Structures are given as C-alpha cells and as structure tokens.
C-alpha cells in the first residue's frame, strides 16, 4: 500500500485481530511534520515582527490611534500599542469582534459599517472564546494563539487531504509556504483560520463524514462572506453527479446570522460600497497600471514597491486563471470550490491586489486550493479518488465446523 493510500484505505482484518497502532502512528507522521513546519514558519514570521515591538502582542493588532476604538482599547488595557502614522491594518476589526461578539456592546458603535465587519466574525468569535469571554488584556494573545493553532491544523488537514486525493501527503507543506497565510498569523487577520476550516472541511467531506463536514463548512462561512460559496459549489457539483446536495445546509447558520445583522444593525454585511468588487478583471488591470505608475515614482520605497507589485499581480493572475481552466473538468472535490472563489476574486477591486501585502492575503485561500486542483488524481473510471462513504472491512471468513 502506498503512503498516500494509507491515509484513507481500510485493510481487511481477520476476525479477532486488533488494528495495528503502529500503522496509525505512521499515518500521522507526515501530517504532524507538515503542521510543525507551518508552525515554525509562522512563528518565525511573528518573532521577526514582535522583536521590534518589545514582544508585545497588542502591536500585532496594528490599531490606528485615530480610530475611536483605540480609546476603548487603551482605557481597558493602558499598555496597548497603537499605530500613529502608518502600519495600521485590519486586526483592529477582529479585536473589536472579540470584545463585542454579538454587536451589542460598545465596540461595534466605534467602527463605521459595523454590519459589514460583523458579517464575518468567525476569527473574532474564536478569539473571544480563547480570551475567556473577550477579556481586554487577553484578546491580543488570543488572536495570535488562534492564528498559530489554525495554521498548524491547516497544514495537517492539507497533508491528509493530499493523501486522500492521491497526491503525496507532503502536500501539507504548501500551507507552510503560503505567504498570505503566514501574513495573516503575523497581522491578526482571519486567513489562517479560514484555511484550517476549508481544508479540514474538504477532508471530512472527502471521507464521507457528513456531520463533521457540515459543522466545519458552516463555521467556514463565518470567516469571510465569499466562503459561503464553498458549500454551495460542492452542492452544485453533487447535483451534477446526481448525488445528494446535503452540504448546502452548511450555509443556513450564517444566513440566520446575516438576517440578525439586518434586523439589529439595519443592513446586510454585503453590498456596502463599490470599493470591494467590480467588473471582472477590471480591478486587476487597474491595479497593474497603478503599480506600474508607482514604479516610476521619485521616492525610493514607492518605486521599489511598484516594481515588485507589477510582476506579482500579472504572475498571480495568470496562475489562477490557468488553474481555473484546469478546474473546469470538475473531477475532484477541490475543483468546484476553487472555481467559486475564483469567480469572486476575478471581480476584486484594484485596492485588494495593488499592494503585495493585500494581494497575498486576499488570494491566500485561492492559492491554498490551487495545488489540490492540479494534483488530485481521478480513478481510471473517471470518478474522483475518494468515496462519500467510509470504507468497510471485509467480513471474516466462516470457520469450518469443529475448529
């Protein structure tokens, strides 16, 4: 039996024999190694940042001092580090979610468009749990802890999923080298959690564990609004193959939550502002032109940023388009979710891909699925190399009488 096959196959056993614990242990060695590699990569990224901030994890939130939210943070945690002129980012919004998970407290009133930010509260909610109910001084540590745990889980799940799809289990290392996921851990954003839930959900779905698949994919929908397309894409794929689209039920919890936001805050979380989505490809083309203009700037930092951004934008766009064409075959569990996310990010506004930090972050989950689209091996009959039912051991042979 191959190393990849050992992840999902169940070998027949004779009556009265117990499963070999050594085999199960070997099956987890590669996923564990991938998880440790991802954890080491993320830890190194975080350490490089914190070494410049006296190892204060509140710095990773990167909260702008001009936000009204900053006054709440400093009031409840006087040592909280703020950003004054540059370097602020989206971790502040997840910090607010962890402080005010149901948008009933003070934090949501201190941000513009709270219905948009609370439309994807999964990371903030998880940090709320990890900080024992959103304790102010514990939230920054909780955000980092969730990010580190998530990237380790994502790598292990990717390794197991790779084996289930007929690829090498070392495919889990793709998480460790995904720059967008590493960036998320070091900047308190949600992509690492999204990768963990996405890959673990697809793994459970591939192994036919419906309850786990529904739970994980339902949680995934709370991480980012576009991720609600993943279970819907899988359901459409199943309908195409004349199978039960049970996985579509995963979107019901987030639909209830979005309805709550509409009633409580007066708006749904999507469709607010034209700066997030636009006509297909237009945002990518505009981003390339703007970055090219920056490359001719008189400022040294700006010109170097523009010079690096142009090939990154063009190369990333070409890669995701080529793999989208390949995914049109719809031959593995990764194809339909990849196409659904590709359709969304083809319409992303220029601000989402113009700067390298945003490009790697926004495309992090698309790039996380990309190798699985390319590497999944269909069986000779055309069916994907997995089953929706758990394999069963062969029944024991009947014993001769008198034995």
């Amino acid at each position: 039996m191959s190393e990849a096959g050992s992840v999902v196959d169940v070998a027949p056993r004779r009556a009265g024999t117990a499963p070999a614990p050594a085999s199960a242990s070997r099956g987890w060695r590669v996923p564990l190694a991938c998880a440790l590699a991802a954890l080491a990569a993320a830890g190194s990224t975080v350490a490089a940042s914190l070494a410049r901030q006296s190892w204060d994890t509140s710095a990773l939130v990167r909260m702008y001092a001009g936000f009204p939210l900053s006054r709440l943070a400093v009031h409840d945690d006087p040592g909280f580090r703020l950003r004054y002129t540059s370097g602020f980012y989206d971790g502040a919004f997840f910090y607010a979610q962890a402080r005010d998970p149901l948008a009933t407290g003070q934090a949501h009133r201190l941000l513009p468009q709270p219905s948009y930010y609370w439309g994807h509260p999964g990371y903030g909610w998880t940090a709320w749990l990890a900080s024992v109910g959103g304790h102010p001084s514990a939230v920054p540590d909780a955000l980092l802890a969730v990010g580190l745990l998530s990237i380790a889980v994502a790598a292990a799940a990717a390794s197991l999923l790779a084996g289930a799809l007929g690829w090498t289990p070392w495919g889990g290392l793709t998480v460790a080298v995904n720059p967008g996921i590493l960036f998320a851990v070091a900047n308190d954003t949600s992509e690492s959690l999204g990768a963990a839930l996405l890959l673990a959900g697809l793994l459970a779905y591939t192994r036919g564990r419906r309850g786990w698949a529904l739970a994980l994919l339902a949680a995934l929908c709370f991480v980012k609004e576009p991720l609600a397309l993943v279970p819907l894409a899988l359901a459409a794929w199943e309908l195409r193959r004349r199978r039960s689209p049970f996985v579509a039920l995963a979107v019901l919890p987030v639909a209830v939550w979005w309805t709550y936001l509409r009633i409580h805050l007066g708006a749904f979380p999507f469709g607010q502002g034209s700066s997030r989505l636009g006509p297909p490809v237009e945002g990518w083309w505009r981003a390339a032109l703007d970055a090219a203009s920056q490359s001719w700037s008189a400022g040294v930092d700006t010109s170097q940023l523009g010079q690096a951004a142009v090939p990154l934008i063009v190369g990333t766009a070409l890669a995701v388009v080529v793999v989208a064409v390949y995914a049109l075959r719809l031959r593995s569990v990764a194809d339909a979710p990849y196409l659904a996310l590709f359709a969304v990010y083809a319409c992303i506004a220029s601000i989402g891909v113009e700067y390298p930090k945003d490009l790697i972050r926004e495309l992090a989950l698309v790039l996380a699925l990309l190798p699985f689209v390319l590497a999944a091996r269909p069986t000779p009959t055309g069916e994907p190399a997995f089953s929706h039912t758990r394999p069963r051991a062969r029944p024991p042979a009947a014993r001769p009488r008198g034995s």
Side-chain angles (χ1 to χ4, degrees):
M1 184 182 298
S2 66
E3 184 179 18
S6 66
V7 175
V8 292
D9 294 341
V10 174
R13 305 186 188 100
R14 293 183 180 180
T17 61
S23 176
S25 175
R26 285 195 299 271
W28 276 98
R29 287 179 183 175
V30 175
L32 179 59
C34 292
L36 292 175
L39 195 59
S44 300
T45 306
V46 170
S49 294
L50 288 182
R52 298 290 184 176
Q53 296 295 322
S54 302
W55 304 98
D56 188 340
T57 56
S58 69
L60 298 181
V61 178
R62 294 182 176 271
M63 186 179 299
Y64 177 42
F67 272 174
L69 180 65
S70 67
R71 295 194 293 271
L72 176 66
V74 173
H75 178 271
D76 294 338
D77 181 8
F80 196 99
R81 287 179 177 252
L82 302 176
R83 305 296 303 172
Y84 290 90
T85 58
S86 64
F88 35 88
Y89 206 57
D90 289 356
F93 305 123
F94 298 109
Y95 171 88
Q97 294 167 1
R99 294 290 309 275
D100 185 9
L102 298 180
T104 55
Q106 186 178 2
H108 81 280
R109 301 187 183 96
L110 303 176
L111 293 176
Q113 297 183 339
S115 61
Y116 167 71
Y117 294 112
W118 267 258
H120 45 269
Y123 181 42
W125 283 358
T126 311
W128 177 82
L129 290 172
S131 60
V132 195
H135 191 278
S137 62
V139 168
D141 290 337
L143 290 168
L144 175 58
V146 170
L148 289 170
L149 177 61
S150 294
I151 195 171
V153 171
S159 175
L160 294 169
L161 180 62
L165 296 181
W167 190 29
T168 171
W170 289 106
L173 290 177
T174 58
V175 172
V177 298
N178 186 312
I181 300 177
L182 295 176
F183 175 89
V185 177
N187 291 272
D188 288 351
T189 61
S190 64
E191 286 71 25
S192 59
L193 178 61
L197 293 171
L198 173 62
L199 296 169
L202 291 180
L203 175 64
Y205 180 80
T206 297
R207 290 183 166 183
R209 297 176 180 175
R210 292 192 172 195
W212 278 107
L214 282 174
L216 291 166
L217 293 175
L220 176 69
C221 296
F222 284 88
V223 176
K224 281 190 174 184
E225 290 88 348
L227 295 175
L229 295 176
V230 170
L232 295 179
L234 287 172
W237 183 51
E238 290 291 30
L239 284 174
R240 181 177 181 270
R241 304 192 315 152
R242 298 181 180 179
R243 294 185 178 183
S244 170
F246 75 94
V247 72
L249 296 174
V251 302
L252 291 181
V254 79
V256 171
W257 172 251
W258 290 340
T259 302
Y260 164 78
L261 293 179
R262 175 65 179 88
I263 296 170
H264 177 52
L265 299 179
F268 286 110
F270 28 80
Q272 297 185 32
S274 59
S275 62
R276 298 187 178 99
L277 294 176
V281 184
E282 180 180 300
W284 289 83
W285 177 244
R286 177 68 179 272
L289 292 178
D290 291 345
S293 297
Q294 291 179 351
S295 71
W296 300 107
S297 171
V300 175
D301 291 342
T302 302
S303 63
Q304 291 187 2
L305 183 64
Q307 290 171 20
V310 173
L312 284 174
I313 294 169
V314 174
T316 302
L318 178 61
V320 297
V321 168
V322 169
V323 176
V325 173
Y326 192 80
L328 289 172
R329 305 176 311 157
L330 294 174
R331 296 173 72 182
S332 88
V333 70
D335 291 347
Y338 180 90
L339 289 171
L341 296 181
F342 168 80
V344 172
Y345 289 104
C347 301
I348 194 170
S350 61
I351 192 64
V353 293
E354 180 179 346
Y355 297 99
K357 65 178 179 61
D358 297 313
L359 175 65
I360 62 173
R361 179 194 167 195
E362 293 288 354
L363 273 293
L365 299 188
V366 176
L367 296 179
L369 285 178
L370 186 150
F372 295 96
V373 174
L374 294 176
R377 299 176 184 175
T379 62
T381 60
E383 285 293 317
F386 63 87
S387 171
H388 282 273
T389 58
R390 297 180 66 179
R392 297 177 180 176
R394 297 176 184 175
R399 294 184 179 182
R401 292 186 178 181
S403 60

